[in-house]
Amino acid sequence: MSLICGEGDREEFLAKVVVVTSGKGGVGKTTTSAAFAAGLALRGHKTVVIDFDVGLRNLDLIMGCERRVVFDFINVINGDANLNQALIRDKRNDNLYIFPTSQTRDKDALKREGVERVLDELKQQFDYIVCDSPAGIEHGAITALYFADSAVIVTNPEVSSVRDSDRIIGILSSRSRRAERNDPPVEIQLLLTRYDPGRVARGEMLTVEDVGEILSIPLLGVIPESESVLRASNTGTPIVFDEESAAGRAYLDAVARFLGEQREMRFVEPERRGFFRLLFGRA
Amino acid sequence: MMRLLNFLFPARTTSASIAKERLKIVLAHERAGSKAPDFLPKLQKELIDVVGRYVEIRDDMIRVNLGQAGGTSMLEINIEIEGAKAKNPPPIGGLAAASSPAGGSRNHGSRPKRR
């Protein structure tokens, strides 16, 4: 198999498996996976983002490569295609690859041994392997988190999302491979998405401090609610490629923190408005 | 005008603070539940046996919970004996061997039972 390894320093760097998970659906896992992988690629890291949501493939749409899918994750697991036939290289960034999943309705197509084999092969070529988990706590979600070294918990400032995040954090610390082997635990970090600082200021939404206190895991970032996210998904562009977008910049900050940089939290205060508008104005 | 009123007389409890309190309570409960040691049912059973030697009680009159109070774990045991009739305690050493009228299945205190 003609893989693109062989760059001497690859063996020094241990590839990292990052799972993006949440328990609850619709909180922004796929948006986050796409943004996070693209952000890592923009920082010069060779990155692949894998769709673990077998049967409900959507990462390809968010990444804008839906018409280029030929082979998928399940084909590679079953040996019907090799890795390089299935990987899609992003047209905007050479460091970024997309690994789409299958539309099969066979729920058990994701075999743990097969996934492990494919991840081991990916680790030879990539610095970061970002796993976009399906919602729920069933087979697909468990498989997505099982091999993780790091986890990004995507949470909305809303009761059901926080509760489900708590549940998935419990599963990560008891049922991941690292937990089973008594290895150093999965590095779990919180990404609070769809945050509306205005509503927080009015006491209508949990604050970032509230959620951090309840879940008691380190905060990776806060992504403000933003119209640009829907625009980005409409066009199949990871949000970090939109330099105007506050959400895109917040994701880039989160990626920088993930890589060990110190960055101040932005977009957590409401935009300043005049005194008059505060009293009488409507947004 | 509502905005002015809200601004001048802010409501004491916001919906966000209610959300936070509700979450704290439900998660404390769920975390305790998922981490409950599996000796709890057996402990409950044996407590029923011991207390049952002295007063007549039903199984549901003893509740054993592992809870959280502040930063500390708390084993909470509630024994309801209101209206329970006192029995003559069995002779020391007799224990389960002594035939207890209320007995039935309760007498075998140390049955290994694990989930």
Side-chain angles (χ1 to χ4, degrees):
Chain A
M1 205 176 294
S2 62
L3 300 185
I4 332 153
C5 45
E7 293 155 47
D9 56 349
R10 176 121 289 134
E11 275 128 60
E12 314 272 314
F13 186 91
L14 277 179
K16 221 172 181 185
V17 178
V18 185
V19 64
V20 176
T21 186
S22 70
K24 189 175 182 302
V27 296
K29 277 184 299 297
T30 302
T31 301
T32 297
S33 301
F36 215 76
L40 287 166
L42 283 171
R43 295 291 301 256
H45 297 288
K46 204 162 169 221
T47 304
V48 59
V49 53
I50 313 179
D51 192 345
F52 269 80
D53 203 349
V54 174
L56 292 170
R57 170 163 88 204
N58 272 318
L59 180 69
D60 55 339
L61 265 183
I62 300 301
M63 296 294 296
C65 65
E66 67 278 9
R67 295 174 60 181
R68 296 166 66 202
V69 176
V70 183
F71 295 108
D72 59 50
F73 198 11
I74 305 299
N75 293 144
V76 177
I77 286 176
N78 293 339
D80 301 330
N82 71 38
L83 205 49
N84 288 348
Q85 288 175 298
L87 288 176
I88 301 172
R89 180 182 221 146
D90 189 83
K91 288 190 166 157
R92 293 151 297 213
N93 189 302
D94 287 348
N95 291 321
L96 183 57
Y97 287 76
I98 299 105
F99 196 177
T101 194
S102 140
Q103 295 278 47
T104 176
R105 292 174 66 188
D106 174 11
K107 281 201 297 182
D108 300 319
L110 272 184
K111 300 230 171 48
R112 193 169 275 181
E113 299 72 35
V115 172
E116 181 174 24
R117 209 185 58 238
V118 173
L119 287 178
D120 284 343
E121 207 176 319
L122 287 167
K123 284 180 183 173
Q124 304 299 314
Q125 316 187 35
F126 289 96
D127 301 331
Y128 289 99
I129 300 163
V130 177
C131 304
D132 181 20
S133 170
I137 49 173
E138 311 267 310
H139 179 72
I142 302 299
T143 310
L145 66 79
Y146 185 73
F147 297 99
D149 300 307
S150 304
V152 175
I153 308 294
V154 184
T155 307
N156 292 168
E158 177 270 326
V159 287
S160 52
S161 174
V162 176
R163 180 195 216 172
D164 290 359
S165 293
D166 192 73
R167 192 80 197 281
I168 214 87
I169 292 166
I171 291 172
L172 269 162
S173 34
S174 62
R175 291 179 61 188
S176 62
R177 184 167 70 172
R178 279 174 174 270
E180 282 183 2
R181 291 182 174 179
N182 273 326
D183 285 343
V186 180
E187 188 188 12
I188 303 174
Q189 289 172 287
L190 170 66
L191 190 75
L192 198 57
T193 60
R194 307 202 69 166
Y195 195 71
D196 185 333
R199 300 197 73 181
V200 170
R202 293 195 295 275
E204 297 171 6
M205 184 179 268
L206 290 167
T207 68
V208 55
E209 291 83 8
D210 289 342
V211 181
E213 182 193 325
I214 292 168
L215 295 178
S216 56
I217 53 173
L219 178 67
L220 188 60
V222 179
I223 311 299
E225 172 80 69
S226 165
E227 292 179 0
S228 58
V229 173
L230 180 58
R231 252 192 334 263
S233 96
N234 285 341
T235 58
T237 316
I239 187 70
V240 290
F241 289 125
D242 179 354
E243 284 155 16
E244 305 289 299
S245 157
R249 282 179 285 153
Y251 271 115
L252 288 175
D253 284 354
V255 169
R257 288 186 204 104
F258 183 81
L259 295 172
E261 269 180 45
Q262 296 284 329
R263 289 218 182 168
E264 209 178 314
M265 286 294 162
R266 296 192 278 177
F267 319 110
V268 288
E269 301 297 330
E271 282 176 51
R272 292 191 192 288
R273 292 196 282 169
F275 179 66
F276 240 78
R277 287 188 61 190
L278 187 70
L279 287 183
F280 303 108
R282 300 234 90 221
Chain B
M1 209 52 203
M2 272 311 286
R3 282 176 162 259
L4 180 61
L5 286 175
N6 285 341
F7 184 72
L8 293 176
F9 308 102
R12 201 140 293 178
T13 49
T14 61
S15 65
S17 63
I18 296 170
K20 185 181 179 186
E21 281 317 303
R22 291 176 60 220
L23 270 170
K24 276 182 158 176
I25 292 164
V26 73
L27 290 184
H29 198 254
E30 287 175 356
R31 285 171 189 164
S34 66
K35 273 183 252 157
D38 46 11
F39 65 72
L40 282 190
K42 197 180 163 206
L43 174 63
Q44 180 160 6
K45 194 116 203 122
E46 291 186 12
L47 281 170
I48 292 168
D49 284 345
V50 172
V51 179
R53 284 183 215 135
Y54 300 90
V55 284
E56 280 178 22
I57 55 162
R58 291 186 317 273
D59 287 12
D60 62 340
M61 290 162 86
I62 291 189
R63 282 180 302 277
V64 180
N65 275 311
L66 199 67
Q68 205 86 33
T72 49
S73 299
M74 197 171 58
L75 182 64
E76 185 189 351
I77 300 172
N78 281 302
I79 306 177
E80 191 187 317
I81 54 162
E82 198 190 11
K85 249 192 351 212
K87 286 190 201 172
N88 292 327
I92 292 168
L95 292 184
S99 59
S100 146
S105 65
R106 289 189 209 137
N107 286 344
H108 314 279
S110 56
R111 237 180 322 172
K113 190 173 184 186
R114 288 192 151 246
R115 278 183 298 164

